[in-house]
Amino acid sequence: MLDRLRNLPRQIVGQLRLLRDNPEQLGRNLSQFTNPGRFEAGLVDVLSQPPLHVSPQAGAAVPALNVLQPFLNQQSMTGGPNTILLVAALVAEQGIPVRIVTSHAGHRPDADWLDAHLTSLLGRRPPEHLRFASAAEPDAPLAVGADDLWFATHWTTAQALKMVLPRMRRNWFMYFVQDFEPGFYAWSSNYALALETYGMRFRALVNEHFLATHLVAQAAGRFADPGFLERQCMAFEPAVDRRVFHPPTDGETRRRPKRLLFYTRPTNPRNMLGVGIDALRQVVASGAFAGEWEFLSIGARGSMPPLALGAGRMLVPAPWASYAGYADSLREADIMLCPMLSPHTSYPVLEMAACGGLALTNTYGPKTAEALSAMSPDIRGVAPTVEAFADGLRETADEVEAGRPRSDRLVLPHTWDAVLPQVAAWVAGAVRDIDA
């Protein structure tokens, strides 16, 4: 007891230093005593998926595809979720009943917005075989066919299927892989659980051959089998819809000042926000971007504050835009800064190139500078370092200052109808292949 009293002044001084230097840590320390339950929850490093409340029913005339997409709202519709919706819609156009299943209690998509958004993505009315449902209510489980096929779209949705598949006729699922998702986390429970899903029983749809190559190189789960990719998977290159993403037309007035867009995702470390900010500050301090330039951050969904870059320059968050408004913002910009420590190129990089701007991103594994340039000479790949990004920013700024012409030099298909019908036919065949 005396020892504890003697140490008390030192402990108080230590906590006061925390209040000055790291108030968040002080709050966590206090929560051990004021809210033990919250403290314990904070120790569990698992991004959990709400359980799926479903009731498999035998005897459905036609097996359906149940596509898991936890949320359906405007703020969640970035490139990956939009591709999920497109795949689901084109499978439905193959005559397969398709349900897009949400899983968060109380979440109901805005039907009018969703209908308009799907119509804009497809360029036509959504198919009648496409439906929306919720599996979030324990008192009202979603009735599904026992012969249905489940379609996981993120590692958490694959984990959620563990409790569902034993109640289905087939114990495998379709897995839409759009990034190496263990890499979203440090070594942790989340990393281990995401990696575990690659060893589950599935057939995979893989968005980009860069990613497919990386999965095999990592020997991740079933991808360690050299023949798995060819036997049980389909990899495809994305399209960029030129109805939406295209250079400014002759009638569109060139705006001033010049503009840099920084694609920022503060909650996703693969976006390397710190590297990008440090590179921007280094370049501004060196005297680059000396003319009329403005700097906008996009993609943060309200979680990005204004940040000083030095020399009176500010990185200012732009408001969340509609799909068409986002494309307009790319046409009004000159440079897209998009760090992405991932084997996937990231849609903003591709969309910026289609709009005729310069996209600056980083290399990673099979995503080399040469491979990126082959997709478009307006996509610049640099090493994922502050110095390399700073050099790339100086070079791209100089090109803009010199008055570079804008044109679409991206070699990817101009419409999803050039890519997804074959993908949809493959998925539809898997739905019908009940005994496989």
Side-chain angles (χ1 to χ4, degrees), residues 11 13 21 41 74 124 336 374 384:
Q11 292 172 351
V13 169
D21 300 333
Q74 184 172 341
R124 53 187 178 274
M336 162 75 77

Side-chain angles (χ1 to χ4, degrees), residues 17-51:
R17 285 176 180 156
L18 273 180
L19 178 61
R20 179 194 65 193
D21 300 333
N22 193 342
E24 290 184 3
Q25 181 62 52
L26 176 62
R28 287 192 291 270
N29 289 352
L30 292 175
S31 73
Q32 297 179 55
F33 308 100
T34 60
N35 194 331
R38 179 179 295 179
F39 175 75
E40 183 177 348
L43 296 177
V44 181
D45 54 339
V46 176
L47 182 63
S48 60
Q49 167 74 13

Side-chain angles (χ1 to χ4, degrees), residues 83-108:
T83 310
I84 292 165
L85 289 181
L86 282 165
V87 171
L90 267 72
V91 172
E93 288 184 343
Q94 297 273 330
I96 298 292
V98 176
R99 295 184 198 89
I100 298 182
V101 180
T102 60
S103 54
H104 281 263
H107 173 64
R108 293 291 183 274

Side-chain angles (χ1 to χ4, degrees), residues 218-375:
Q218 292 294 307
R222 304 193 72 195
F223 293 98
D225 176 352
F228 175 68
L229 187 66
E230 289 73 23
R231 292 194 314 269
Q232 300 290 331
C233 305
M234 172 178 273
F236 67 93
E237 297 303 320
V240 177
D241 189 345
R242 301 314 205 276
R243 293 175 303 120
V244 181
F245 300 100
H246 56 80
T249 61
D250 292 338
E252 292 176 307
T253 304
R254 175 67 176 89
R255 65 174 306 284
R256 291 289 187 270
K258 299 177 183 67
R259 178 179 287 179
L260 179 143
L261 294 181
F262 186 177
Y263 184 66
T264 58
R265 300 287 294 275
T267 59
N268 196 326
R270 65 181 166 145
N271 187 220
M272 295 192 297
L273 178 59
V275 167
I277 292 293
D278 283 354
L280 271 174
R281 286 174 172 162
Q282 186 179 111
V283 171
V284 168
S286 73
F289 297 107
E292 285 191 274
W293 281 86
E294 61 184 12
F295 305 85
L296 297 180
S297 62
I298 61 172
R301 303 183 181 122
S303 61
M304 183 77 181
L307 293 176
L309 300 177
R313 306 287 189 166
M314 293 293 295
L315 178 67
V316 181
W320 187 265
S322 66
Y323 188 54
Y326 162 66
D328 289 339
S329 72
L330 299 190
R331 272 187 290 279
E332 293 172 355
D334 300 282
I335 298 171
M336 162 75 77
L337 173 61
C338 187
M340 196 60 65
L341 200 66
S342 160
H344 197 281
T345 53
S346 183
Y347 279 99
V349 168
L350 306 176
E351 292 156 351
M352 184 62 170
C355 289
L358 290 170
L360 180 63
T361 188
N362 58 274
T363 57
Y364 185 87
K367 190 176 69 175
T368 64
E370 294 75 19
L372 290 168
S373 180
M375 299 175 84

Side-chain angles (χ1 to χ4, degrees), residues 48-53 69-73 101-109 133-140:
S48 60
Q49 167 74 13
L52 297 173
H53 300 285
Q69 176 60 24
F71 288 100
L72 284 169
N73 53 36
V101 180
T102 60
S103 54
H104 281 263
H107 173 64
R108 293 291 183 274
S134 171
E137 307 301 331
D139 297 332

